[in-house]
Amino acid sequence: RAEPHAVTVALVGLGGVVHARLRHDTATAPSPRRFVQIVASSVEAMRADIDRHYRVVGAGLAVPGLVNANGSVLVSPTLGWRRD
């Protein structure tokens, strides 16, 4: 379910188990720049736990909308994002 007024970052194991989750509610859908800032600060908040207990082997991102093969968001009506 798309939540345009929240950004959620989760630490998920290879088996699909969610080990940690941080949700950041926003008053409006965040801009791409604000989205990246929220994700970066969320990962930083998890950093000590990640470094102590886990080995990062990959990262993923889910954005509601149309994404090209290179991973660029072309349009996300839910978030109001559009690549010109």
Side-chain angles (χ1 to χ4, degrees):
R1 178 173 81 105
E3 298 182 80
H5 296 222
V7 175
T8 302
V9 174
L11 178 60
V12 182
L14 292 175
V17 174
V18 177
H19 297 288
R21 180 181 323 210
L22 288 177
R23 177 185 163 113
H24 182 92
D25 292 313
T26 59
T28 60
S31 68
R33 181 179 304 273
R34 181 67 183 131
F35 177 84
V36 170
Q37 290 170 339
I38 292 168
V39 170
S41 67
S42 296
V43 170
E44 191 57 38
M46 294 177 163
R47 173 67 57 202
D49 192 44
I50 292 169
D51 290 344
R52 193 173 318 120
H53 301 288
Y54 305 101
R55 182 172 61 112
V56 176
V57 295
L61 174 69
V63 176
L66 181 60
V67 179
N68 69 13
N70 296 328
S72 295
V73 177
L74 301 177
V75 63
S76 177
T78 306
L79 296 172
W81 297 359
R82 180 174 193 83
R83 183 173 180 172
D84 297 324

